[in-house]
Amino acid sequence: MLRMLGSPRRCCDGITRRETLQVGGAAALGGWSLPQLLQADELSVLEAKAKSVIFIFLLGGAATQDMFDLKPEAPAEVRSVFNPIDTVVPGIQICEHLPRLAQWTDRTAIIRSVNHKAGCHNCMPLYTGFDQLLPDQHPRVSDSPSMGSVCEYLKPGENDFPAYLFMPCWLGWGQSFRRSGPYGGYLGKRYDALTTECMPTMPDGGFTPAAGTPQTVLGRPLLPASVMQDGLTLDRLSTRRSLLDQLDDQRRQADIMLTAGSFDRSQQQAFNILTSAGLRDAFDIEQETPELRDRYGRTLFGESTLIARRLVERGVKFINVTWDLFWGPVEIDYDAWDTHTNNFEILKTNKLPGLDQTLTALFEDLDARGLLDETLIVLTSEMGRTPRINGSAGRDHWTFCYSSLLAGAGIRGGQLYGSSDSQAGYVADLPVRPADICATVYHCLGINPDLRLPDLGGRPVEIANGGRVIEEIMV
């Protein structure tokens, strides 16, 4: 049986959609009939408002009560020690430690009613829209595909540049724990992101982290295997590729098409990394002025975000930048945004100034280059934090209400959507699932969130897992 894989235009084995139709006739293909295939092709493309997405993920659970939804009238054991400040939009206030971002609220929509019941630190909902509780948080081949993986899946077959790039390291690397969410899932590993590598450092050298002691994380994302070995010329590399292609022909004859498809695409991607001057050039931030790099911040997060802008210029569709935790293979920043201890000191001295600097530099840079109106920026976290402050001056895990921010292409700026109760503990109005944010991202990209793709059992599943587009915040 021939299953329809790859983009709607070309299967992963090089068979075009037209050839598939010729072979299949009126028969079912991979569990789908021809009418279903034709419908999928028609549903996959809408009018795009955004050419690219920069998805900024604060791993650990950012505290909405101390950032975007302060409650100064709440009881002392709940309210933030920070003060709310006015922004350029009357009626919208955010934290005093985000003063630069306060000047950009006319270009952003703040959603204050995000919630899910999929468990703490579960990253699946925000990347895929799938928000059911799972036994653990390890990636599975049966998982729903991430938004970036769907972009890679729908990419025209003739385009070898990646549609999905993940920085600065795979999700959870800093904890030595690979977290589910940003993968190809049942579409296959061949639609995973091109993921960079990094070796984080800190200004003062080695450090053994402890809870409540934030550190500035330095470093830069690097393309994997982007430097050729001495003596390995492009001609020799092409010869090796030709030999591998011959082996692949034998493998295909062994009737393991699915596995070969995964291997072929991974091999092609690796070859493209080595030979693509354009991709390597995007990571060469020495081309940028020292002043611009200073504006972004010469941190791992700042450098990753600057490279994200350079990738937007080169047409990469979905770019992820994660502010990760680092206490596994390297011991630098124990808490990141998971602030069980010393929450206010961590946010005031480390996290909020860094976020404020880098995010506003991105807004300014994109706007100056005429790219903000065609780039969607999403700032989110996998959960929020408890309204009540614990005995360690921290806030604990909380999934019942938190905030996300959308800006740029397709977004009507100056908006507050949804609201929380008096303690920012539960949604009071207009609840938003992570699936709704996914559906909105797809819609801005011109991808119909109702598009159905076959899971491992051949059953058609909506890519946004039932999420609805948040029309009220869109232009």
Side-chain angles (χ1 to χ4, degrees):
M1 177 181 293
L2 179 63
R3 174 176 290 180
M4 189 70 161
L5 296 172
S7 76
R9 300 168 180 83
R10 182 172 296 274
C11 299
C12 68
D13 56 1
I15 300 175
T16 66
R17 179 174 174 273
R18 174 177 295 179
E19 291 166 340
T20 303
L21 299 182
Q22 291 172 343
V23 171
L29 298 175
W32 278 21
S33 65
L34 280 181
Q36 288 173 313
L37 289 172
L38 292 170
Q39 182 187 37
D41 201 33
E42 293 170 357
L43 283 175
S44 63
V45 180
L46 300 172
E47 180 182 357
K49 299 181 183 298
K51 293 182 179 179
S52 299
V53 173
I54 299 178
F55 192 83
I56 300 176
F57 175 39
L58 309 179
L59 179 60
T64 185
Q65 304 91 339
D66 306 307
M67 297 173 66
F68 301 118
D69 194 8
L70 281 72
K71 302 291 185 179
E73 304 302 321
E77 64 271 19
V78 169
R79 67 174 178 264
S80 178
V81 301
F82 306 147
N83 296 312
I85 58 170
D86 292 331
T87 70
V88 293
V89 179
I92 296 181
Q93 293 185 320
I94 62 175
C95 176
E96 62 182 318
H97 298 299
L98 297 171
R100 301 179 187 181
L101 189 57
Q103 304 304 307
W104 285 89
T105 51
D106 59 332
R107 305 292 292 273
T108 67
I110 300 173
I111 303 172
R112 289 177 168 172
S113 55
V114 186
N115 69 99
H116 67 80
K117 298 179 180 179
C120 301
H121 289 311
N122 188 345
C123 301
M124 279 284 288
L126 68 100
Y127 280 106
T128 72
F130 184 85
D131 60 0
Q132 296 181 26
L133 194 62
L134 296 172
D136 57 54
Q137 297 173 15
H138 297 291
R140 293 175 169 81
V141 295
S142 58
D143 286 344
S144 293
S146 68
M147 292 178 285
S149 294
V150 171
C151 291
E152 190 70 57
Y153 179 91
L154 296 175
K155 181 181 70 175
E158 63 273 10
N159 184 359
D160 291 330
F161 215 73
Y164 180 24
L165 204 141
F166 199 98
M167 296 184 289
C169 51
W170 49 263
L171 186 61
W173 179 85
Q175 303 165 277
S176 299
F177 169 56
R178 190 177 291 271
R179 295 187 173 277
S180 62
Y183 298 102
Y186 56 68
L187 292 181
K189 289 183 64 63
R190 56 198 173 281
Y191 300 110
D192 287 353
L194 170 57
T195 302
T196 61
E197 301 172 346
C198 68
M199 182 46 66
T201 60
M202 60 176 291
D204 300 326
F207 171 73
T208 299
T213 54
Q215 297 293 318
T216 298
V217 181
L218 307 181
R220 183 186 303 178
L222 302 171
L223 284 170
S226 58
V227 179
M228 293 186 189
Q229 298 175 2
D230 291 342
L232 182 57
T233 65
L234 288 178
D235 288 340
R236 289 182 62 195
L237 186 64
S238 296
T239 301
R240 292 187 181 186
R241 182 185 179 214
S242 177
L243 291 172
L244 286 171
D245 286 343
Q246 295 176 40
L247 293 174
D248 291 343
D249 289 339
Q250 298 299 317
R251 184 178 289 106
R252 278 188 285 269
Q253 292 174 15
D255 194 30
I256 51 173
M257 294 292 290
L258 183 58
T259 303
S262 300
F263 184 82
D264 289 345
R265 193 174 186 284
S266 299
Q267 176 187 301
Q268 180 66 50
Q269 187 180 65
F271 184 82
N272 290 340
I273 293 171
L274 287 171
T275 59
S276 172
L279 188 57
R280 294 198 307 275
D281 183 72
F283 280 77
D284 184 10
I285 55 177
E286 302 297 336
Q287 298 178 19
E288 302 290 348
T289 65
E291 293 78 14
L292 183 62
R293 293 181 64 188
D294 289 342
R295 279 168 53 198
Y296 274 88
R298 300 201 184 209
T299 62
L300 180 60
F301 179 66
E303 302 275 48
S304 298
T305 305
L306 175 54
I307 291 173
R309 189 271 292 164
R310 293 175 61 82
L311 291 167
V312 164
E313 290 181 304
R314 288 154 178 81
V316 177
K317 184 70 69 178
F318 196 98
I319 305 146
N320 181 98
V321 176
T322 297
W323 191 319
D324 212 321
L325 299 88
F326 291 103
W327 46 262
V330 294
E331 296 184 337
I332 296 178
D333 191 24
Y334 183 92
D335 303 278
W337 297 88
D338 195 15
T339 52
H340 293 280
T341 301
N342 208 13
N343 169 75
F344 302 107
E345 185 67 18
I346 289 173
L347 294 181
K348 177 182 177 180
T349 63
N350 185 275
K351 298 298 177 286
L352 295 185
L355 178 65
D356 195 45
Q357 175 181 357
T358 298
L359 189 57
T360 53
L362 177 64
F363 286 157
E364 294 164 356
D365 199 9
L366 288 171
D367 193 44
R369 297 169 189 271
L371 295 172
L372 185 56
D373 288 335
E374 57 188 46
T375 305
L376 174 64
I377 299 170
V378 180
L379 175 72
T380 191
S381 198
E382 77 273 27
M383 62 181 188
R385 309 209 72 79
T386 52
R388 182 175 290 272
I389 301 166
N390 65 27
S392 300
R395 298 188 190 269
D396 299 316
H397 298 165
W398 195 254
T399 65
F400 301 102
C401 188
Y402 62 103
S403 298
S404 296
L405 182 150
L406 282 74
I411 300 302
R412 185 160 53 94
Q415 300 297 309
L416 288 176
Y417 185 85
S419 62
S420 63
D421 63 15
S422 62
Q423 298 185 14
Y426 295 92
V427 174
D429 188 40
L430 301 176
V432 170
R433 297 170 53 214
D436 300 332
I437 296 177
C438 292
T440 305
V441 170
Y442 280 129
H443 189 85
C444 288
L445 283 171
I447 300 172
N448 194 320
D450 296 331
L451 171 66
R452 295 172 181 266
L453 297 177
D455 65 8
L456 294 179
R459 297 166 297 184
V461 179
E462 290 182 2
I463 55 175
N465 282 287
R468 73 166 191 91
V469 178
I470 310 172
E471 300 279 1
E472 295 86 347
I473 66 170
M474 300 187 66
V475 294

